[in-house]
Amino acid sequence: DIQMTQSPSSLSASVGDRVTITCRASQSISSFLNWYQQKPGNAPKILISVASTLQSGVPSRFSGSGSGTDFTLTITSLHPEDFATYYCQQSYITPYTFGQGTKLEIK
Amino acid sequence: HLQLQESGPGLVKPSETLSLTCTASGASISSNLYYWGWIRQPPGKGLEWIGTIYYSGSTYNNPSLKSRVTISIDVSKNQFYLKLTAVTAADTAIYYCVRMQYSNTLGKAFDIWGQGTMVTVSS
């Protein structure tokens, strides 16, 4: 199985900050990397697919980049509603696997 | 627009079979543009892909669950199903049914999620 490792596991930031979350795959996954946001008590929501394609309705302050084994999710100018847990997921090959999550908290 | 809703028992005894139904509304699951599947999340933990099915019935399951998983689909009822046999406490989780988009531009991603249903394995 492809292992997905996110860093950091948790992050404290303030409204208006720029934050970056990284995701590393244990082998090359080309650009088959998705990012999800999950708020407490809710199902995850897709933000970005194929590493950098913003899903419909997702604010442009979210962006993704990377290919191969190293990927990043960047949120520019944090809004209060952005404090949540973020997961990366590879769709290169089954079994599809997720990172362990990055919890973004308010400083 | 498409909505997914999980249903099934919230409590299952150890060694028994967990059975869940996902009912789609607002669109047909017979589309050849999407796959359908299940993902679970133990309380306070991360996400685990269980398996995926196409409208034709082709399935892809997580080998970590070995042969315990069966995913099936009934397009006439606009439903798909999960059966997980020989459950243990480790199978306690929120179970989500999902749609997986599949295109050259958007890749493969879980773009629609049900609200999730909590299943506890306990005697």
Side-chain angles (χ1 to χ4, degrees):
Chain A
D1 298 3
I2 297 177
Q3 305 301 315
M4 306 301 294
T5 304
Q6 290 180 231
S7 62
S9 295
S10 64
L11 175 60
S12 293
S14 301
V15 171
D17 284 354
R18 172 190 175 101
V19 299
T20 297
I21 298 169
T22 64
C23 178
R24 175 164 288 176
S26 59
Q27 66 183 74
S28 177
I29 57 170
S30 184
S31 295
F32 293 102
L33 189 283
N34 305 317
W35 289 99
Y36 301 85
Q37 176 195 67
Q38 186 178 33
K39 296 181 181 179
N42 290 343
K45 170 191 170 185
I46 180 75
L47 297 175
I48 289 169
S49 62
V50 284
S52 60
T53 299
L54 215 59
Q55 291 283 305
S56 176
V58 175
S60 59
R61 62 182 181 272
F62 291 90
S63 64
S65 64
S67 66
T69 61
D70 295 314
F71 302 86
T72 60
L73 171 69
T74 299
I75 312 171
T76 58
S77 190
L78 277 171
H79 287 206
E81 61 267 30
D82 299 337
F83 292 93
T85 299
Y86 293 84
Y87 293 94
C88 62
Q89 175 245 329
Q90 65 83 13
S91 61
Y92 179 70
I93 194 170
T94 60
Y96 302 125
T97 47
F98 292 84
Q100 81 279 16
T102 295
K103 187 173 183 179
L104 177 55
E105 299 175 303
I106 299 175
K107 185 183 290 185
Chain B
H1 67 284
L2 177 74
Q3 291 186 301
L4 300 174
Q5 178 69 58
E6 306 88 351
S7 59
L11 181 64
V12 182
K13 290 183 167 57
S15 80
E16 295 190 346
T17 296
L18 180 161
S19 296
L20 296 176
T21 297
C22 183
T23 301
S25 59
S28 172
I29 64 171
S30 63
S31 169
N32 64 351
L33 297 176
Y34 304 103
Y35 286 77
W36 309 92
W38 294 91
I39 290 169
R40 70 180 182 178
Q41 185 173 35
K45 296 188 178 180
L47 299 159
E48 180 182 29
W49 173 73
I50 297 171
T52 304
I53 189 165
Y54 198 45
Y55 78 99
S56 62
S58 299
T59 57
Y60 307 85
N61 295 337
N62 194 326
S64 70
L65 297 169
K66 297 186 173 65
S67 58
R68 297 197 297 132
V69 172
T70 302
I71 297 175
S72 57
I73 193 165
D74 187 335
V75 296
S76 68
K77 293 184 177 179
N78 229 28
Q79 294 177 329
F80 57 101
Y81 313 96
L82 170 68
K83 287 191 187 300
L84 182 64
T85 62
V87 296
T88 69
D91 296 309
T92 294
I94 298 171
Y95 286 76
Y96 296 101
C97 60
V98 296
R99 184 180 81 173
M100 185 175 80
Q101 68 185 26
Y102 178 45
S103 73
N104 289 334
T105 52
L106 296 177
K108 289 178 281 186
F110 304 113
D111 66 335
I112 304 290
W113 296 63
Q115 66 183 27
T117 187
M118 181 67 202
V119 179
T120 301
V121 178
S122 175
S123 55

